[in-house]
Every structure is written in C-alpha cells, then in structure tokens.
C-alpha cells in the first residue's frame, strides 16, 4: 500500500481485501437484491443455487450470526452442532425419506450405505434426545445450531434467496406438556422478533401452514417485498395476517333475491376452460362454477368453486379431514363424470361433492354437463346437486372478508425469513423420545421447531434496504460501519486520517479505508453501491476550512465537521440510521 502505509495497525484497506464490484448489472439476476449482491462484489455463483460468500458479505453473515446467537442464548437455547451428513435410517424412522422426496440430496458411502445431506434436523435432534433425555428433570430444553443446509430445490433462484446450499439457524424445543411447549414457542417467537428488529428488518408475522413438518400451529416471519415468492393477506383493521397457503376468509351469506330459471343443457363445442366457456357464452367467469375431481384418501370427490377462484388444496384437505389429497388423473375423471376432461359438472355426479361456502345459495350458474362439448345453464346448487359439505376451500385474495373482523383483506407478497412451528409429539413418538414424569409415568416429549434462513435474511435486508445507487446496510449487519475516503496525501490530511483511525478504533466503529488509485467518482459510486452506513471524506478543500465530510448512506446530504467531532457525529448518525423505506 503505497499511499497510506501503516503496517502497525489493523486497518482494512480496500486494495488489500477482495471487493470485485461491477459497473454493469449482471444478466443472471432478476431481482434488485440479487443484482446488488453481485454488482457490489459480495458473492458469485458457482453453479445453480451455489454461491461463494466474499469477504464483505462474510462479515455481515458473521455479524448476523452473532445477533442470532445472542438472542438464542438470551432466550435460554443451547447451541450445538449436528452432522450435515445423515444416515437414511433416521429419515425412514420419521417416514420422511419418501415425503421429502427429490428435495433431499441422496448419496452412498463406499460400503453402499445410503446417506443424505440434511435439509433440516428434526430427525437427528429427536434421535439424540430420545437417547439422552430420560426424566422430567432434564426438561425443558431448546437446542439450536447455525449450519449449512442442503436442498435440491426445483427452482433455485434469486441468489441466496432460494439456494441449494444455505445457512440456517435451526432450533428444537423439548417440553413435558403442551402448555410448557407453548412457553418455549413464545420464547422463540419473541427472540425472532428481536433478531429481525436488531438487523434492521421490518417483518410481518403471518399464520402459516405446517406443510411437511406435520405440526399443529405455526407462524412465518415475512419481509414484505414485491419480489417475495410467498403470497399473503393481512387485515388492515385487525391483526389477522396469513400465508395464502393457509389464509381463511369470511363470506357474507345473504340469500340471493334472484329466483332460479329452469336448468338447461347447451352445446359448447370445444370450450373446456373457464375462459373458453365465458367468452363463448359472453358471461363473466364468476357466473361459472368449476368442478374439480380430487382423490382424497384413495376416494374420488368433487370440489365446486366459483369460476374466478382457485382451490386451496390444503384447506380442501382440512375440510375433508383427509390425510392425502391430489387431483384425479384423466382416467379417474372420465370414469366418475363419464366425460372427457373439461366438462365435469355436479349434476348427477355420484361421488361426494364439496362446495365453496360462497356458493351456498348459488343460482343461475353455468356448470359442466358431464358430456363432451356441453354445459348446463341456470344451475341451482340446492336444487340440482347433492352437495355433502360446504366449506372455505378457495385461495383467499385481496378484497375477501377478514375471518376475524368485519374488515377486508389486502394481498401482499413476502419473503419468508423465519418460521416457528408447534410440532406436538409426531417426531418424539417416531423416535421414542419419552420422559418419566414425577409419578414414574412414561410420556412423549412435546416438541417445537424453529428456523431462520440466515443467508436468505441477509439478502432480504438488501431487498428491503436499497436505492438506485446500491445497498443501504443497517449498521448492525453492515460489512463495515464506515468507509473512509482519503482524497489527499498532504501531511495534514495524513495526520487527520491517522487520528481518525485511532479514534474510530477506540469507539469500536469498524471501518475500511478506500486506498485505491481510482478517481474520486469511482470511489463514491462504489461506496454507495456496497452501502456502508457512513462515508467519511478527507479532502484538501474541506481541510482548508478545518472540516471533514461525513455522510450517512441513507441521507441526501453530508455534514461538514471538525476532525475532532468526527467520531461523535458518526456515532450519532449510526444510532439513528434506522431503515429508511
Ligand atoms: P420455503 O417455503 O421458502 O421453501 P421452507 O418452508 O421450506 O421455505 P423451512 O423448512 O421452514 O423452509 O426452513 C426455515 C427457513 O430456512 C425458511 O424460513 C427460510 O428462511 C430458509 N430457507 C428455506 N429454504 C431455503 C433455500 N432454498 N435457500 C435459502 N433459505 C432457505
Ligand atoms: Mg417454511
């Protein structure tokens, strides 16, 4: 380092680390945070869903991990580290070897034994606890680890958002009863709130489906963003918010004043889809009723929903109390309707029919006629079909009634950064994780599991905190809190630089000095692109007035302060540098 030599200190110089910034947007990136991570030189892709963490983002990752550890430890959780490489047997024991399916990376060792790369650790931790925890005196316990997970995602994309190898903080709680488990759940929930707040993220907590975890109750921590892969609804009038996979809605059930016309069959040649039929008949899609044939626990059922709505299969499955549900194949549809796919209808069907609650008083609707190229007009659901069950079975959407109050739901998109589940005893029963209570009775341990996508969270911070010029890191997770740009090498400027460095170190503000032989414009651009919260410029011009320039990344203008006031100014700005947008 020719211009700013000082071999005795621990200063990080830009020229000595590795920050391969790019002038142009990378072609591979579709969303802002992914583009910025690559342009700011934070990461590079090795292959689909596999990324290297460069020095700067590694610092952010380590800071985020420190926040997570502090909050986990404060909540009483105990850190451990389990193998990423796991034997097939534990996954057979929970019956998830096949349920997880293709998402698990599977391999064989030299003896031909099957192994997997852990996508999550319920199996391993429950096996451990089953062997080591015996008594109510050993409980409660919450274990956590910060570890690399592997998932062969169908569509790895958006950089670290959906990767195939990523860092997760996962935690598992073990309790003697449901009510004790509720306390452990609440402790993790509260810790998650603090973690996301400390890393400058605004999150929305939503009710979520429990999916393959097989639990009973769960919440997701969502970062609202247009680029989010999850749909969610929230009620502006009350606190209800839920993932679309789970969201309920309320439906006004006033009887319709219209009287029904006589049922009548009409020919609709080639019109199979809702769009085909509605344009053929010149009616709105909502005046049609879709009939979908499913197979629930091996038996065919028909689901009726308004033409402009989609079935929520999870809700349908719950309404049916079925343990498996899938769309029927073509042969089954033909067998139960007697017609080719596209013309199924409820009239005369001899399988159980479930209808969406909004159809309770439906009259004068268009339905399939169970005959090729034909539909029925003036369908009256109470007159013309034998509906066995009405329920809320469609995907909720903006404008639907809130299920908890009289408000109406708004739709948003979000990035899931964290997830907390009440698991119950599914895994403890599969692994025989039991404890002896005071009376010597053997009981299954009640579990919870909790995950934070650590690397996804880092990118979500960027998605929430950036502008046209680059990233705006919250100070708590910024790679460095300040970047110092020495624009002059006069003895005075060098002296000011050395004093500033010493006082930043004393105040525990971490910083990087941009010592590159580059034009000022390039350095300013890169400082904004990488997004250090504070920028300090030492130039001859400002020193002539006895000042140096300090600017917060999120602020429009800079402050000119005497060098002696620099650190206090920086400290003040850092403490108020809250998320901007
Ligand atoms: P998703 O619905 O986004 O696939 P998930 O529900 O499968 O996630 P969990 O099993 O709950 O995820 O994992 C815990 C956390 O790990 C998630 O909340 C998310 O933040 C993170 N995560 C999951 N899959 C990935 C991935 N492929 N890349 C990065 N982070 C991930
Ligand atoms: Mg999840």
């Amino acid at each position: 380092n020719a211009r700013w030599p000082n071999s005795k200190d621990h200063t990080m110089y830009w020229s000595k680390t590795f920050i391969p910034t790019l002038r142009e947007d990378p072609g591979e990136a579709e969303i802002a945070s992914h583009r910025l991570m690559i342009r700011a030189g934070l990461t590079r892709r090795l292959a689909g869903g596999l990324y290297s963490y460069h020095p700067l983002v590694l610092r952010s990752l380590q800071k985020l991990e420190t926040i997570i550890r502090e909050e986990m430890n404060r909540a009483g959780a105990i850190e451990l580290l389990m193998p990423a490489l796991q034997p097939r047997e534990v996954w057979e024991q929970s019956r998830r070897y096949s349920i997880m399916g293709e998402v698990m990376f599977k391999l064989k060792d030299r003896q031909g034994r099957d192994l997997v790369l852990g996508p999550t650790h319920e199996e391993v931790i429950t096996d451990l606890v089953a062997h080591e925890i015996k008594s109510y005196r050993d409980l409660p316990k919450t274990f956590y680890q910060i570890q690399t997970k592997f998932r062969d995602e169908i569509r790895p994309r958006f950089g670290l958002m959906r990767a195939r190898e990523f860092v997760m903080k996962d935690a598992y709680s073990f309790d003697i009863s449901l009510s004790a488990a509720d306390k452990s759940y609440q402790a993790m929930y509260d810790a998650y709130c603090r973690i996301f707040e400390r890393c400058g993220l605004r999150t929305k907590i939503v009710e979520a489906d429990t999916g393959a975890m097989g639990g009973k109750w769960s919440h997701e921590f969502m970062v609202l963003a247009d680029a989010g892969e999850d749909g969610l609804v929230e009620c502006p009038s009350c606190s209800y918010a839920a993932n679309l996979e789970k969201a309920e809605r309320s439906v006004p059930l006033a009887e319709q004043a219209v009287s029904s016309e006589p049922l009548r069959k009409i020919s609709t040649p080639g019109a199979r889809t809702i769009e085909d039929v509605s344009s053929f008949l010149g009616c709105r899609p909502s005046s049609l009723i879709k009939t979908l044939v499913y197979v629930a626990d091996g038996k065919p059922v028909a689901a009726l929903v308004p033409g402009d709505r989609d079935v929520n299969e999870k809700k349908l499955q719950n309404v049916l109390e079925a343990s498996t549900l899938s769309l029927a194949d073509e042969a089954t549809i033909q067998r139960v309707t007697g017609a080719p796919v596209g013309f199924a209808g409820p009239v005369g069907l001899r399988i159980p029919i479930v209808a969406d609650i909004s159809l309770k008083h439906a009259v004068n609707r268009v339905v399939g006629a169970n005959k090729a190229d034909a539909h029925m007009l003036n369908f009256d659901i109470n007159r013309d079909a034998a509906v066995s069950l009405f329920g809320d079975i469609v995907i909720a959407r903006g404008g639907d009634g809130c299920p908890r109050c009289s408000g109406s739901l708004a739709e948003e998109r979000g990035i899931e950064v964290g997830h907390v589940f009440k698991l119950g005893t599914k895994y403890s029963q599969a692994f025989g994780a039991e404890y002896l209570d005071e009376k010597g009775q053997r009981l299954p341990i009640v579990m919870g599991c909790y995950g934070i996508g650590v690397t996804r969270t880092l990118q979500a911070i960027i998605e929430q905190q950036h502008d046209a010029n680059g990233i705006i890191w919250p100070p708590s997770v910024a790679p460095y809190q300040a970047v110092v740009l020495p624009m002059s090498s006069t003895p005075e400027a060098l002296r000011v630089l050395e004093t500033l460095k010493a006082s930043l170190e004393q105040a525990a503000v971490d910083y990087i000095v941009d010592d590159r032989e580059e034009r000022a414009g390039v350095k300013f651009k890169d400082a904004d692109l990488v997004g250090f919260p504070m920028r300090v410029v030492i130039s001859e011009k400002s020193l002539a007035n006895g000042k140096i320039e300090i600017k917060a990344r999120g602020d429009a203008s800079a402050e000119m302060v005497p060098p002696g006031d620099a650190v206090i100014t920086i400290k003040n700005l850092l403490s108020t540098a809250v998320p901007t947008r």
Side-chain angles (χ1 to χ4, degrees), residues 151 153 160-163 166 168 213 230 416-419 421 451-453 455-456:
R151 294 186 182 181
E153 299 280 358
L160 308 188
M161 289 284 189
R162 186 167 296 284
F166 60 96
M168 193 198 286
M213 287 299 168
D230 283 285
E416 179 196 322
V417 287
H419 201 161
F421 288 88
I452 291 180
T455 39
R456 181 185 285 183

Side-chain angles (χ1 to χ4, degrees), residues 123-195:
E123 288 58 16
V124 177
I125 190 78
T126 315
D127 182 72
L128 181 82
V129 164
H131 286 99
E132 305 304 328
I133 289 187
K134 305 286 175 211
S135 157
Y136 71 95
R137 285 188 212 92
D138 305 326
L139 297 169
K141 283 262 181 310
T142 296
F143 295 104
Y144 79 95
Q145 61 176 349
I146 297 179
Q147 196 207 35
T148 300
K149 299 282 189 268
F150 300 87
R151 294 186 182 181
D152 197 359
E153 299 280 358
I154 305 176
R155 271 194 82 190
R157 57 180 186 158
F158 303 154
L160 308 188
M161 289 284 189
R162 186 167 296 284
R164 294 196 296 168
E165 176 180 327
F166 60 96
V167 179
M168 193 198 286
K169 187 288 301 176
D170 46 329
Y172 308 89
S173 62
F174 298 87
D175 279 282
I176 56 165
S177 66
L178 281 174
S179 61
D182 282 351
K183 286 205 191 98
S184 300
Y185 183 86
Q186 193 61 42
M188 285 296 110
Y189 183 108
D190 294 343
Y192 277 30
C193 293
R194 282 195 298 269
I195 289 165

Side-chain angles (χ1 to χ4, degrees), residues 246-248 312-319 392-394 396:
K246 144 121 204 206
E248 304 154 45
N312 179 324
E313 296 187 358
K314 304 247 165 71
K315 281 157 78 172
L316 176 61
Q317 189 172 347
N318 289 342
V319 164
D392 175 17
I393 60 168
V394 304

Side-chain angles (χ1 to χ4, degrees), residues 3-4 485-489 493 519-521 523-524 537-540:
R3 279 179 91 194
W4 326 108
L485 275 59
M487 298 298 184
S488 158
S489 48
R519 285 180 295 110
K523 294 188 178 191
F524 282 117
V537 183
I538 304 171
S539 68
E540 245 159 89

Side-chain angles (χ1 to χ4, degrees), residues 212-510:
M213 287 299 168
K216 296 192 155 33
W217 181 253
S218 84
H219 287 99
E220 285 168 345
F221 290 73
M222 293 283 189
V223 173
L224 298 185
D226 293 338
E229 289 189 283
D230 283 285
L232 55 104
V233 288
E234 63 170 316
C235 175
S237 321
C238 71
S239 60
Y240 182 74
N243 193 308
L244 281 186
E245 288 175 357
K246 144 121 204 206
E248 304 154 45
R249 76 206 211 282
S250 83
V251 178
L253 281 181
E255 272 200 52
Q256 268 154 349
V258 205
S259 57
S260 40
E261 307 284 323
L263 187 68
R264 167 158 91 79
K265 190 182 289 175
I266 52 151
S267 152
T268 53
R272 287 165 189 270
T273 65
I274 293 291
E275 293 72 49
D276 293 346
V277 179
S278 58
S279 70
F280 181 85
L281 296 173
C283 62
R284 280 178 298 138
S286 58
S287 57
L288 275 66
I289 293 176
K290 272 194 241 183
T291 305
L292 293 125
V293 182
Y294 284 89
V295 177
D297 290 338
K299 299 200 184 76
V301 297
L304 306 187
V305 300
D308 61 340
R309 306 293 301 233
D310 293 309
V311 172
N312 179 324
E313 296 187 358
K314 304 247 165 71
K315 281 157 78 172
L316 176 61
Q317 189 172 347
N318 289 342
V319 164
L320 289 168
E321 295 176 18
S323 37
T324 65
L325 180 91
S326 58
L327 267 176
D329 58 18
E330 227 177 294
T332 310
I333 296 172
Q334 289 196 8
R335 182 165 54 76
V336 303
T337 65
V341 174
F343 300 96
V347 182
L349 265 195
R350 272 200 274 269
I351 56 173
I353 298 175
V354 186
D356 183 61
I357 187 77
S358 65
L359 299 175
K360 189 103 198 186
H361 304 291
V363 296
N364 302 333
R365 304 290 178 101
V366 180
V367 295
N370 294 327
K371 186 171 176 296
D373 299 329
H375 279 80
M376 306 287 246
L377 297 185
N378 304 327
F379 171 76
D380 177 335
I381 201 159
N382 295 302
R383 179 191 65 191
D384 304 323
V387 174
S388 357
L389 200 60
F390 285 94
D392 175 17
I393 60 168
V394 304
I395 300 173
R397 68 181 178 203
D400 280 347
C402 172
R404 304 279 183 273
C405 78
S406 57
S408 93
L409 298 174
E411 208 172 320
E412 313 247 26
R413 301 211 62 80
I415 301 161
E416 179 196 322
V417 287
H419 201 161
V420 292
F421 288 88
K422 289 182 191 175
L423 281 176
T425 56
K426 175 182 153 155
Y427 294 93
S428 42
Q429 278 173 330
F431 287 87
E434 297 173 329
Y435 71 97
L436 291 176
D437 73 2
E438 287 116 313
K439 299 185 205 102
Q441 211 183 338
R442 197 173 285 281
L443 293 166
I445 299 176
V446 184
M447 289 176 58
C449 73
Y450 316 90
I452 291 180
V454 184
T455 39
R456 181 185 285 183
T457 298
L458 267 190
Q459 197 179 319
I461 291 169
I462 298 174
E463 192 64 36
Q464 195 171 70
Q465 290 289 120
H466 69 269
D467 64 14
N469 299 321
I471 302 167
I472 307 175
W473 282 109
S476 59
V477 289
Y480 292 93
Q481 291 173 309
V483 57
V484 179
L485 275 59
M487 298 298 184
S488 158
S489 48
T490 63
E492 194 199 356
L494 285 181
R495 195 173 42 73
V496 168
L497 173 63
E498 288 309 313
T499 315
L500 176 70
K501 280 163 53 183
S503 41
L504 285 173
E505 262 149 51
Q506 212 181 5
V509 175
D510 61 348

